[in-house]
Amino acid sequence: MATEKEIRQAVTSEAQIAVHWREEGYYYPTAKFIGQANAADPGIYERFAEDRFPECFKEYADLLSWDSYWHTTLDTSEPPFWKWFVGGKLNACYNCVDRHLGASADKAALIWVPEPESADPVAITYQELYRRVNEFAALLRGLGLRAGDRVTCHLPMVPELPVAMLACARLGVIHSQVFGGFSGTACGHRIADSGSRVLVTMDGYYRGGELIDHKVKADEAVTAARREGAEVDKVLVWRRHPGEYASATAMVEGRDVFVDELLGGYRGQVVAPVPMPAEAPLFLMYTSGTTGRPKGCQHSTGGYLAYVAGTSKYYQDIHPGDTYWCMADIGWITGHSYIVYGPLALGTTSVIYEGVPTYPDAGRPWRIAERLGVNIFHTSPTAIRQLRKVGPEEPEKYSYRFKHMTTVGEPIEPEVWNWYYQVPGKGEAVIVDTWWQTENGGFLGSTLPALNPMKPGSCGPAVLGIYPIIYDEDGTEVEAGSGQAGNICIRNPWPGIFQTIWGQPERFVQTYYQKYCKNKNSTDWRDWPYFAGDGAVQAADGYFRILGRVDDVINVAGHRLGTKELESAALMVDEVAEAAAVPVMDELRGRAVEMYIALKPGIAPGRQMADKVTHAIETEIGKIARPRNVWIVPDMPKTRSGKIMRRVIAAVSNFADVGDTTTLANPEIVEDIRHHVQAEKAAHGDVPRELTPQEVEELMAFGQAE
Ligand code: WTA
């Protein structure tokens, strides 16, 4: 239990940040890695120098097969709706499947590892992928789907997911995969937002040793979409075990169909890939923001595919002969870019694992790596922390060998980085810490693995062709090496950048381009820096350290949850008057969510109320958003204008300094809440370790965005 004194010691003031800032040392790639790397010639920096922009990105686009070549590399006539490779036509599915049939028809495109260890991994060759994708494309076409239509997928980590995505891409249909762990309701909102009339799902899948019912979520999704006035005509249900039905919910006559039965009618059919304009949308990927409505990030066909192919080649160092395993979920952007589109565009073998990394024990990932000969491994700090905690010695027991490893999605602590390097990496694999976002399509910050040394805790310099700048609130540049943090922006457009927020173009401009726009009438891209919403510091060596979100987004296990989404879910409970969601430091997941709830007058607080709030969040968003604690408080700390001070609440949850509260309308409530919450937490041994200066900075920025 922490004493008052220990709690006081945990408080770090802003002035101490510079003093406590410890620069980590460099680590170098091995000669063996450098000798085989795709990007080993420093001349590559010349090729992507700023004076070669935008033509430098031809190098990425030339990795693809085009049906017709583009005439304009970058069209800036309608800022900030940039258009890449205008005039060009291509098909993403053709690039990821058909063009590898010649030499690589019998090579595994995908190796799927089912969660139950008793089931063998399934290799799907490029030839077999071609067959499956064509048949499913024929089925979709048979439903009347055409280029430009939207299809929502709510699929787990099974090969049917990339098959569905690629089948859509073959037809020019825009796919929108919703993370399988999201609730049916969350899926329904996204169906309605995208205007999909077809939902692709699965009856069940294995997670943590159980075959869980997933089809039940499809029914919830259809109902939730209907509440928003959107009708789903068809629910296509794949079966985890064809011929058997793993769900307790009934199939709805006329609406729901089993894909394995329907596919019989399309056996052997081939669908010509539709040549799509480079700027035609390929998919939507929903992410959280400062309002409750999720943002459907719209990604292009040509620019996106070129960018993920190029970055997969140079930063993931993927060669056609590699066996590459990214443990992310395909339902997130990392999986789209770096399990499906990037690796398959390069014709490599990409591994897909169905289940929980630590199931049935912490040796599982390393057994998979050993059995399949994985030589490139990609995961998140949350998974690394988890594997380190439950099985720190496990990797040594298995005889796999990685040449390259990636960490993505959240900052990684230097101690955790070191374990990743020494133990899973066996002191030999090069590591890239890749910083980027759903909106970006691909990496923004990373070392080039053979050319730049690694520095634990820093993502490294900007990637090829990306020119960042850090601004303070007033738009003054924060210099590298100044020790000051600011808002990281990208000065130039790049091919992987999303095109717009589906159906919300004004929000797109406002959220990402308004803050530092120099002249809104200008068609010169130099006047339109992209605002990433992350705080960052640049060291004197040019390496960036990403501090976290500056908007109202909480990054849980590398996944962005909007405070407004969490709060509106809590407000669906009738008795709740006010709700505030704040981040709390979490040993494993980086950040967790804590909810603060004020009840309507006359309602008695208690466990039951807290449970109702948790349940509402799980129903609206999914289990991933489950709060660590729900605190029922008599009132929220507020400014005189009535704004809830989330920053102050977050400081309480994290045992940090609440700062100056004298300007609040109700300063006395802060002490009240602090006392209650911290005593409860201390009683449960739930006191966080001392916060790092970065974390203090992040908390101070939290909830400041308007
Ligand atoms: C954070 C995931 C530190 C960041 C690809 C960003 C990171 C948000 C890193 C995007 C990293 C991502 N180091 N922070 N290497 N990578 N982030 O959209 O705050 O799910 O804005 O995309 O995650 O999360 P998203």
Side-chain angles (χ1 to χ4, degrees):
M1 194 160 43
T3 62
E4 277 286 325
K5 181 155 166 270
E6 282 167 339
I7 291 166
R8 268 202 312 278
Q9 281 169 346
V11 168
T12 316
S13 77
E14 208 169 354
Q16 288 171 280
I17 290 173
V19 185
H20 283 200
W21 205 271
R22 191 165 74 98
E23 277 295 325
E24 298 290 324
Y26 292 121
Y27 290 72
Y28 294 86
T30 61
K32 191 170 163 208
F33 179 83
I34 297 170
Q36 59 80 62
N38 283 328
D41 169 11
I44 198 165
Y45 278 109
E46 267 311 296
R47 303 206 298 273
F48 283 86
E50 198 170 343
D51 59 6
R52 303 260 170 98
F53 179 87
E55 294 307 321
C56 56
F57 282 114
K58 177 177 183 298
E59 183 164 335
Y60 285 1
D62 281 343
L63 295 171
L64 305 179
S65 304
W66 294 80
D67 296 306
S68 40
Y69 219 60
W70 61 94
H71 51 69
T72 306
T73 305
L74 172 62
D75 172 355
T76 63
S77 60
E78 219 193 309
F81 301 90
W82 317 120
K83 296 186 188 75
W84 283 88
F85 310 122
V86 184
K89 285 196 169 171
L90 78 169
N91 184 278
C93 178
Y94 177 87
N95 273 278
C96 291
V97 185
D98 305 40
R99 68 172 177 152
H100 306 307
L101 291 180
S104 305
D106 297 335
K107 174 164 61 177
L110 303 171
I111 302 179
W112 178 54
V113 182
E115 190 188 69
E117 218 165 351
S118 54
D120 283 324
V122 181
I124 297 165
T125 62
Y126 276 97
Q127 183 65 47
E128 172 66 7
L129 183 60
Y130 175 79
R131 182 186 71 80
R132 293 195 193 189
V133 165
N134 271 287
E135 289 176 357
F136 195 62
L139 185 156
L140 293 177
R141 190 177 56 183
L143 294 176
L145 289 161
R146 296 285 176 269
D149 292 343
R150 278 82 57 209
V151 163
T152 296
C153 300
H154 195 204
L155 285 165
M157 285 290 281
V158 290
E160 288 77 5
L161 172 49
V163 165
M165 289 161 62
L166 292 164
C168 287
R170 198 167 187 84
L171 299 170
V173 167
I174 303 167
H175 59 76
S176 169
Q177 154 71 7
V178 176
F179 169 57
F182 274 147
S183 67
T185 309
C187 179
H189 293 316
R190 288 154 178 77
I191 291 174
D193 191 86
S194 64
S196 304
R197 304 188 67 94
V198 173
L199 170 64
V200 185
T201 189
M202 187 167 254
D203 61 342
Y205 61 100
Y206 288 93
R207 207 154 170 90
E210 259 176 78
L211 180 57
I212 59 177
D213 186 345
H214 186 64
K215 161 63 168 57
V216 61
K217 290 185 177 176
D219 299 288
E220 291 162 7
V222 171
T223 309
R226 185 172 299 141
R227 276 202 299 271
E228 294 180 37
E231 235 7 89
V232 174
D233 302 330
K234 275 277 171 282
V235 179
L236 303 178
V237 185
W238 293 91
R239 283 188 281 194
R240 178 61 180 75
H241 298 286
E244 295 166 29
Y245 186 45
S247 172
T249 46
M251 296 287 281
V252 175
E253 180 77 41
R255 186 196 76 184
D256 301 353
V257 277
F258 289 129
V259 176
D260 55 303
E261 286 179 3
L262 206 58
L263 268 179
Y266 297 92
R267 195 70 66 224
Q269 288 203 16
V270 170
V271 175
V274 179
M276 296 299 293
E279 69 277 20
L282 178 60
F283 66 86
L284 306 179
M285 171 63 66
Y286 281 87
T287 191
S288 301
T290 46
T291 73
R293 183 173 173 194
K295 300 182 279 193
C297 295
Q298 177 186 315
H299 283 283
S300 73
T301 307
Y304 170 82
L305 198 63
Y307 198 68
V308 298
T311 50
S312 293
K313 179 169 179 186
Y314 293 143
Y315 288 91
Q316 297 295 286
D317 197 49
I318 290 177
H319 297 59
D322 289 325
T323 300
Y324 166 88
W325 180 19
C326 171
M327 230 165 55
D329 196 291
I330 298 175
W332 306 111
I333 191 70
T334 301
H336 273 47
S337 299
Y338 299 113
I339 297 177
V340 180
Y341 285 113
L344 296 184
L346 296 179
T348 197
T349 298
S350 185
V351 176
I352 298 177
Y353 174 51
E354 178 178 33
V356 177
T358 52
Y359 183 84
D361 57 67
R364 187 71 194 274
W366 323 122
R367 283 199 292 284
I368 292 173
E370 180 184 76
R371 174 156 184 188
L372 303 182
V374 171
N375 66 338
I376 307 180
F377 183 68
H378 186 151
T379 192
S380 65
T382 289
I384 301 167
R385 289 185 209 107
Q386 178 80 29
L387 290 164
R388 173 181 182 235
K389 183 172 182 205
V390 296
E393 259 101 62
E394 285 301 308
E396 290 155 25
K397 300 181 188 160
Y398 301 95
S399 66
Y400 66 85
R401 239 174 135 170
F402 295 151
K403 67 166 182 177
H404 180 294
M405 303 193 299
T406 300
T407 163
V408 61
E410 40 175 330
I412 184 164
E413 301 79 0
E415 319 85 89
V416 178
W417 190 99
N418 266 298
W419 179 79
Y420 194 37
Y421 183 73
Q422 297 298 348
V423 186
K426 306 190 173 181
E428 181 180 58
V430 71
I431 295 181
V432 292
D433 177 347
T434 58
W435 166 66
W436 60 297
Q437 313 171 295
T438 303
E439 294 86 340
N440 309 152
F443 307 143
L444 293 182
S446 169
T447 48
L448 257 179
L451 292 173
N452 311 126
M454 305 159 245
K455 188 164 77 171
S458 294
C459 66
V463 303
L464 296 166
I466 297 289
Y467 297 95
I469 186 163
I470 299 179
Y471 285 125
D472 70 8
E473 278 304 308
D474 308 322
T476 307
E477 180 174 357
V478 177
E479 300 284 341
S482 65
Q484 299 295 308
N487 295 319
I488 188 164
C489 297
I490 310 298
R491 287 192 285 115
N492 61 306
W494 64 96
I497 184 67
F498 69 143
Q499 301 176 293
T500 187
I501 302 174
W502 180 263
Q504 306 178 71
E506 310 79 26
R507 188 176 176 197
F508 169 74
V509 179
Q510 195 200 346
T511 309
Y512 301 98
Y513 292 97
Q514 190 147 296
K515 191 168 172 88
Y516 294 116
C517 179
K518 293 176 194 129
N519 171 7
K520 63 180 177 21
N521 298 316
S522 167
T523 57
D524 184 345
W525 57 262
R526 289 167 193 82
D527 290 320
W528 293 87
Y530 167 80
F531 173 72
D534 277 327
V537 197
Q538 191 177 24
D541 60 8
Y543 280 32
F544 293 95
R545 192 192 285 256
I546 304 298
L547 305 177
R549 304 293 309 172
V550 297
D551 56 12
D552 292 337
V553 164
I554 304 177
N555 190 333
V556 177
H559 306 309
R560 285 157 64 180
L561 300 173
T563 51
K564 289 288 184 314
E565 285 168 84
L566 293 156
E567 290 162 5
S568 36
L571 287 164
M572 300 195 64
V573 176
D574 266 351
E575 296 88 339
V576 171
E578 283 177 320
V582 298
V584 61
M585 304 305 158
D586 185 278
E587 200 202 324
L588 289 180
R589 294 183 294 166
R591 303 287 175 273
V593 172
E594 291 208 349
M595 296 299 302
Y596 283 72
I597 300 294
L599 298 171
K600 288 180 182 160
I603 309 282
R607 184 75 252 157
Q608 203 196 341
M609 276 294 118
D611 290 346
K612 270 194 173 179
V613 168
T614 300
H615 181 73
I617 290 174
E618 286 185 358
T619 310
E620 281 294 303
I621 306 174
K623 288 216 162 52
I624 187 180
R626 187 189 174 92
R628 177 145 106 193
N629 287 301
V630 177
W631 303 109
I632 313 271
V633 295
D635 195 6
M636 302 281 181
K638 285 185 197 131
T639 60
R640 297 219 168 95
S641 59
K643 184 176 176 246
I644 298 178
M645 288 300 287
R646 290 181 182 75
R647 179 173 59 83
V648 171
I649 302 174
V652 168
S653 271
N654 289 283
F655 291 71
D657 185 1
V658 293
D660 181 10
T661 55
T662 53
T663 56
L664 296 186
N666 52 352
E668 67 296 339
I669 198 73
V670 178
E671 205 32 48
D672 217 41
I673 294 176
R674 196 179 73 83
H675 198 79
H676 167 69
V677 168
Q678 295 186 349
E680 275 285 300
K681 286 189 135 198
H684 292 94
D686 188 12
V687 178
R689 55 170 168 71
E690 187 177 336
L691 301 188
T692 66
Q694 289 191 27
E695 289 165 346
V696 172
E697 192 151 330
E698 181 190 321
L699 284 185
M700 286 186 306
F702 184 74
Q704 301 295 78
E706 272 311 308

